[in-house]
Each structure stands twice: as C-alpha cells, then as structure tokens.
Amino acid sequence: MTTPLEIGAGETALFWILAPISVIAALGLLFARKSVHAALSMIVVMLIAGVFYIANEAPFVGIIQIVVYSGAVMMLFLFVVMLVGRDASDSLIETIRGQRLATVLVTLGLVALLTVVVGQVTWGGAVGLAATNTETGNVTGLAYLIFGRYVWIFEVSALLLITAAVASMVLAHRTRLAPPPNQRAWAARRFREGKHLAGLPAPGVYARHNAVDTPALLPDGSISELSVSRVLAARSQVASPERFADAQDEIEREIEEGSER
Amino acid sequence: MSLVNYIYLSAILFSIGGAVVLLRRNAIIVFMGVELMLNAANLAFITFARMHGQLDGQVIALFVMVVASAEVVVGLAIIMAIFRSRRSASIDNANLLKA
Amino acid sequence: MTFLVTAAAAEPGAAPAYAWLLIGLPLLGAAILLLGGRKTDSFGPLLATGLSWASFVLALPLLFAMLGRAPEDRAVEHVLYSWIRAGSFQLDAGILIDPLSMSFVLLITFVGSLIHVYSLGYMKDDPGHVRHEGHTLSAWEESRQPSERRRFFAYLNLFIAAMLLLVLANSYPLLFVGWEGVGLASYLLIGFWNHNPAYATAANKAFIVNRVGDMGVIAAIMAMFAAFGATDFAGVGAAAAEADTGVLVLIGLLLLLGATGKSAQFPLQSWLGDAMAGPTPVSALIHAATMVTAGVYLIVRSAPIFNNAPTAQTAVAVIGAVTLLYGAVVGMAKDDIKKALAASTMSQIGYMMLAAGLGPAGYAYAIFHLLTHGFFKAGMFLGAGSVMHGMKDEVNMRRFGGLSTFMKITWITFGLGWLAILGVPPFSGFWSKDAIIETAFIGEGIRPWLLGGAALVGAGITAFYMSRLFFMTFHGKRRWSERDYHPHESPPTMTVPMMVLAAGSALLGLILAWPFAETKPIVAWLEPVVGYGGSEAEPVLAIPVIIALTLIFVAIGAFVAYRMYIQEDVPTTAPVGSWGTQAARADLYQEEVNRTLFEQPGVALVHGLEHTDRSGVDGTVGGLATWIGDLSSRLRRIQNGFARSYALTMLTGVVLFLGAVWVMQ
C-alpha cells in the first residue's frame, strides 16, 4: 500500500509555481504599507493554500478553505479595514528598540530549526488518500469522523462559535446615551446658538461638476471653508475649485469674444 | 519532488506569520499574521493526512478553521472596540499593561 | 444555722454544696461595685463589708461541722464542675475543706472583715483622685468625680474572693487561679493611688517580681502533669509517695520559687517594701496578714512533695533563715514606719518558711506562726495607719515621738502587738515563735546549730527593731510641733478592729497552744493534713535552755532599743550612720544587686538585640528589599506594555525550548 513520498510531475510543477507565489504574498503581508494590500496578499496565500489542499487529496477542506477563509473571513477583515481606514500604525517604522533585529534573528532561528528538524525526520512512505477518497468518498469519510469519533469536539466547537458570535455582538455594541438628533433638533440648536441660521453653505456646484470635496466660492471669489466637511479638510482631500473657476472664466471669455465677433 | 516540501513550505509560512505578528503595529495586520500561522499549520495537517492515508488530519484542519473563525470574529470586535475608544488600531497604544 | 449544720453532717465525705458561696459572695460584691457604677457609691462600701462578714459567718457552720467529725474525716471535698478534660486527663474544679484550708478561711474572712470595717473609717476622707492645687470643684463637678472608695472596696472584696479560692482550691491549677487573683488584687491596691507615679511604679514592681515566682508555680504544675499525670492535690499526693526523688526536688524547688515571689522571700523580696505605697489597710491585709503568707501555704500544702525531697526541704529552710535575718537587718535601719513593718513581715515570714522547711515537725508551727502573725502584724499595721491618720499621713518615725498620750487606744493595741512579736510570754508570738526556734534546733550535725542560731539571733534583732519602732513612735520626746500636727485618736470604726486584733495578738497563741493540753490544739488540729507535728526528736539543746536563751536575746534587743531611743534623743534627720546602717537602709543593696544582676544584663541584651535587629535583621531584610527593588525596577523595563514585545518573548521562549529539545535528542 505504501508508496514513496514522491509526487507526480504535474503536482510538482504546480507546487513550484504556486509555493514561491505564496511565500511572496506572505512576505507582502510583512512589507505592505497599506492594510488593504496586506489583506489582498493574505487572500492570495489562502487561495493558494486551498489549491494545495485539493492537490493533497483534501478536496472538501480545500473548497472550505477557499469559500470560508478567502471568502468570508477575509471579507470580514476587509470590512474592518474599511471601518478603521488608514492608520498611522500602518507605518513600517519600528518604534520599539531592538524589536526588529530580535524578530529577524528569532524568526530565522525558527526557520532554521524547523527546517533542520523536518530534514532530520525519517519519513516512511506515503499512504495517500486516493483509495479512501474513491471508496467512501472524501466528504463521506470526513462526515463519518466528524459525526462519529470527533462528535464531541464538533459539539464543543459549535458552542465556541455561538459564544464567539455573542461575544462579538457584545463588544461591538454601543449604547446610545441620547436619541440621535433629527433635522428638527439640529434646526432648534442652530437657532439657539444663533449661528448659521440658514445652515452651512453647500459645497461647490459647478456647471459641469458637483463634488462634496470641492469648496464653494464666495461672491468675492474666495473659498468658503465651511462648505466642505472638516474630515476632508483634515485629510487634506479638499480639491481646489480653481480649475472650475478658471474653466468658467474661459467659457465666459469665449462667449464674450464670440459675441463681439 | 517529495511531499516533505509541503512541510517546508508550511514551516516558512508559519515563520513569516510569526514575524508579521512581531513586526507590524496595525492590529488588523497582526491578526492576519496569526491567520497565516494557522493556515501554515493546516497545510501541515493536510499533508500529514495524505502521508498517513487517514482523514483525521483533514478533520483537525477543519476544526482549526472553526476555531480560527471564532477567534477572528472576537478579535476583530475587540479591534473595533479599541479603535472606537482610542482612534487607533495600533497595538502599541494598547499598553495599559505597562508597569 | 442548725439546718446548715445538719445538712453538712448528713453527707459525710463531701463538703456542703453551698461552700462555694464563701468565694462567691465577695466576688459578687466586687462585681456589683465594679459594674454597678456610681449608683453603688452610697451603699457600696457597706455592702462589701457585709459580704465579707457574710463569708465569715458562712465559714462557721463549716467549722462546726468539721469539729463534729472524727479528725481523719475532717477533709471534705466538693466538686463544682468538670473543669479540664483532655484525653485521659481530667481535672475537676472543686473546693477542698480541711483543717488547713479552714484555718486560712477563718483568718482571711475574720481579719479581712475587720479590715473592711477599719477601711470604712480610714478611707472615709480619701479623695482617691487628684486634687489640683488652687482649683476647687463645683458641687456638680464633685458629684461627677468617680468614687474611689467604691473602687477600693471592690478590690478588697476581689482580694478576699481570690484568696479564698487560693486556699480552698482542690488542685494546683485552681490554686494558681486564686494565686494570680490575689496578685492582681495586690497590684490594683498597691497602685490604688496611681496618680502618684512612684506608687504606680511600685505596683508594677510588685506585679513583675511576682511574675518571676509565678513562672515557678506554672513550671511546677507542668512538671507535675508531666511526671504524675495529675495536678489535683489528692492525685499529686498519691503519686509523690512513689515518685523519683529528683523529680520531686525539681518540683519542690519550682514551688519554692513561686513561694519566694508571693511571700517576698529572698531573693524575690524586693517588692514588699515598695508595696507599702498602697493604703495602710491594704498593707495590713494583703502585705502582712494574708497574701504574703500564701507561699507558706503552698509549701505546707505541698507537704507530700517536700517530705520526699529532702534537698528541696533544706532549701526552703535555708531561704527562710536567710530571709528572716535579711528582713530583720533591713528593719533595723528603716525610718518609714510602714517600711519597717514590711521588713518585719518579711522576717516573720522567713520564720514560717524556716518552719515549713523543717518537715512534718514544723508544718503545724509554720501555720501557727502564720495565724498569730496575721493577727499581731495586721493589728500593728492598723495601728500604724491610725498613727498616720492622726499625723497627716506622716510616715517618718523620726517625726513622731511621745504619741502615747494622744492615742491611748492605738498605743495599747500596738503595744500588745509589739509584745506579741517580741515573743514575750504569754502573748501569742511567744508560743508560735518559740515553737519554731525549738524545732529548728532539732537535727544532726551543724544544721540545727545554723538554723536554730539564725532563728535565735533573728529573735534578738526583731526585739531591737520592733522596740525601736514602738519607742520612736509612742515614747521619747515629741519631735513634731503642735503647730503642724494635731494628733488625735481615730474613730471607732478604726479602733474597734484594732482592739479585736490586739485581743487576738494577746490570746490566740495561748488558746492554740494551750500549755496544759497533751498535744497543742493547733498541732492536733492540723495533724490530719500535714502529718504529725509534735517533736519526734529532742532538740540539741534542752527546751528550757532554748526558751531562756530566746528571752535573753529578746531582752537584750529591747534594752538596746530602750537605751538608744528613749534615753537618748532621736535626731529628726537620720544620721549618716555606719556602712552597716547605710546598707540596711538601702535594703542591703537589693535594688543594686537586682540592677546589676538582672537589669543591666537585660538592658545590655536588649541593646545588643536592638543593634542586631537594626543592622542584622533590618539590614538583611532592608538589603534584600532594596536588592529586590533594584532587580524589579530593572525587570520592570521588560514590562514595557507592548504586546509585541511580549509576543517576541514568547516566540523566543518557544524557539529556545524547541532548540533545547532538539539538542537533547
């Protein structure tokens, strides 16, 4: 029954193509400046891992890996990245003295240790799962194990999932201390404070463009800072209205020239 | 090529995941590093299952996924809570343990 | 009364159940007075006196019942309750009434009650608390002042109860409860005027010195428990008969240590002189008549032990002989009337201890002298109190003189006590002291000559210093001015007890040692308890010779005193005197000896310990703390609060661990 550890040429080719990619993607996790890129690298690694699972005669786990991990879990990550946004902590500059050097040394030590140990192991032959997968079927075999020998672990993991779901809801829940203000309340507050009675000026609206990041122009041609969100101002994502004003001026000038002509 | 290469790959991915945990300050990326380590372990399990010709390794890999997803859910919720109160996802800022 | 007698007689071998009331009544009085507060001010002293008398009256039917039984059936025991039960050991708290304890009960309740009566007069005007100069209290403030008389009588009752418990106990542990109780009462009463720091210190001194003796009693009880497995008198007595002599000597010496502490015997005698700080009735009751004789009681009660431990017995006799001379020498030089009497007490108790150390031949005489001494010494103390009462609390005898005409009753009663202590026939001291001297001369070799000689010389010195005291106080020239002092006789509440005690001083000896009886009544009375008390062997000198010698010594002593203190003028300020006088005046340097032997090494030890503590222990502890603090502040830097650092530490640990595992394979 025992066959050598060797695997076929097709799988070998697959491994040598995908393995370096997965390592590079993993390193991308280490070096990416933006968390979105890190998340995308992670998805690549997971997809490749799923492929490797399938190649390793574990089709069910491979599919689950792709669907659940790359699909669900990483989407969750992306959601959180979206909520948190860019953060100063994305920076790769190390703040703890000696942390980077020590990490590199320890990691290299770990790699060396694991490699050496794995290299020293006397491997028997590989049995392979082809027989099992064809006789009982991969999914059926797994089901026998999960609902048979490992049923208690299965039940406990179900409990764990439920607990985790409740815990995450508790953690994410935020109790409002007061009802959210509606338009009426906003108006009342404006009048009470006596400021911006007519509301804040709307952002710039131009003949061919309407954007919240572009400030409106006051009658004298200067910019109204009140017309753009403070968040955008803080992120220096306020666009300049100059080009729209210039374009308008240009059009008006051409019209004037045309009428004179 | 030998099946053992999968194990080597698993070891390398695991180590990279560890390095990510230690070097990145963004809690989300740190979390991804943890996930990477778990996946590396899963790869080893799957390979071992194939070597031994038994499905138990695959079952364990499934359970690891379950536990990992539970951990991700709670972990991300914690990150959100921290971000909400500190306006930062840097794990270095969460240093109330400091003496 | 008759029904009580019949009730007691109906049940032979057991004491009547009401016997505990002997102790209970005074204790109740103390409780009422101490807890009752100011409400008891008006009737408290009278109540206390009444309860003390009630205790005495209660003892009478017991006495009659005892007299109605055959001598060998006189010891009766009444078990109150099971006190200590531990494994095979069981101890009942009970009351033992036998001739020995009955003698004490009568002495304590009778003299104690008389002194209660005396105190009604003596403490009448005692403010008992500090009167600030130039500050008169308003009526309201006066009414708010705590009544110290109530406190005084409460302590007196407490003392009576504790002393009765001491002598009525049927076991050493219960005796020890009473032993400590009287110590407490003594402490409270010596320090009664504790607004005077010197008096408070005297109280502390008495308490602390007594603790040394108490250690001996406790150790003796422990030794009994270890050696015999019993601590009640019956059990110990039975076990002592066949016990190892070495164990008995050890127990005997430990008991002797306790006795020296309580009875102010050498070497624990130093507290008694200072104990005179207490009010005079206290000195009369506690520090002359009753409590200080508890040591003698302890020795006599432990007769089964001492009888089989000749070494310990000899030690008792030697201690007694040394103390009787010591006290006599100190008494010669004291000018403070109470301190002279205290020295005399010490000396007389030395006689008792000497007698107790002479074995079965002497026990009865020890108790005999104890009883007569209880009367005449209490009487003289009360007389001294009466003198002080009339002389504005002056205690310096050099400022007295010629008081006999002003205080006739005091003079006569004191004179009877004086004749008694001198041992002039037929007064009571003659019978008791002479019996002791005779017994001391019994024996072989040099021992009777040393002990008997000491007793004989002591009698002569006693005659000298007591005559000196008597003459300096009541005779000779007046060394006080009419302007400052108005000596007067004391009220009847004080003189009546003095007269009663004087009568006892005169007649008690004669009654108890009725010379025409075959055996002396006191000997016959105590015989069932302490064994045969008559002279088994003849003294080394013929008895008439001893009596004659004693009287000659007494006459010489009294004559010398007459020459020195009546025929010659007494200077109002004490002359410097010879080194002997100075030494005696300084209590033969007992304080200095104590200081050198105990205090200075103690102080040096404490200094050393303090130094060791500071530099050694504190240094070690502090150094360790500093070192750990330094280490911690260094370790603290590792705890930088960064999760990533911790994770790095973790991973490093994992790598090192795996590496170690790998290397070891």
Side-chain angles (χ1 to χ4, degrees), chain B residues 22-25 91-92 95, chain C residues 636 640-642 644 647-648:
Chain B
L22 297 186
L23 286 180
R24 297 307 299 252
R25 282 184 290 149
I91 62 167
D92 284 359
N95 60 354
Chain C
R636 191 176 65 86
N640 54 9
F642 293 125
R644 292 191 294 139
L648 175 62

Side-chain angles (χ1 to χ4, degrees), chain C residues 414-456:
Chain C
F414 201 104
L416 285 171
W418 169 63
L419 289 170
I421 195 172
L422 254 58
V424 176
F427 299 105
S428 58
F430 166 75
W431 305 101
S432 53
K433 196 192 283 181
D434 199 60
I436 292 175
I437 297 173
E438 282 169 24
T439 316
F441 271 110
I442 296 173
E444 289 168 0
I446 198 169
R447 184 184 133 122
W449 295 101
L450 284 177
L451 296 178
L456 204 55

Side-chain angles (χ1 to χ4, degrees), chain C residues 247-319:
Chain C
V247 174
L248 291 174
V249 169
L250 172 70
I251 295 174
L253 290 177
L254 289 171
L255 288 172
L256 175 62
L257 178 63
T260 55
K262 193 59 87 189
S263 292
Q265 297 294 290
F266 184 83
L268 296 178
Q269 79 285 16
S270 64
W271 63 272
L272 188 60
D274 290 347
M276 295 302 123
T280 309
V282 171
S283 308
L285 177 60
I286 299 183
H287 305 120
T290 53
M291 186 192 84
V292 284
T293 59
V296 181
Y297 172 79
L298 185 68
I299 303 288
V300 175
R301 183 55 89 188
S302 309
I305 291 171
F306 283 99
N307 287 345
N308 294 321
T311 316
Q313 211 162 29
T314 308
V316 173
V318 170
I319 292 284

Side-chain angles (χ1 to χ4, degrees), chain C residues 164-225:
Chain C
L164 287 173
L165 179 63
L166 196 165
V167 298
L168 285 171
N170 70 340
S171 65
Y172 283 98
L174 195 60
L175 175 145
F176 190 68
V177 175
W179 185 272
E180 289 301 305
V182 293
L184 170 68
S186 161
Y187 164 76
L188 291 171
L189 285 165
I190 294 170
F192 182 70
W193 286 317
N194 55 17
H195 48 80
N196 182 334
Y199 291 1
T201 309
N204 282 340
K205 183 176 175 185
F207 201 71
I208 291 164
V209 174
N210 264 298
R211 292 287 81 68
V212 179
D214 295 347
M215 281 303 298
V217 182
I218 294 179
I221 293 173
M222 290 175 184
M224 285 172 204
F225 178 69

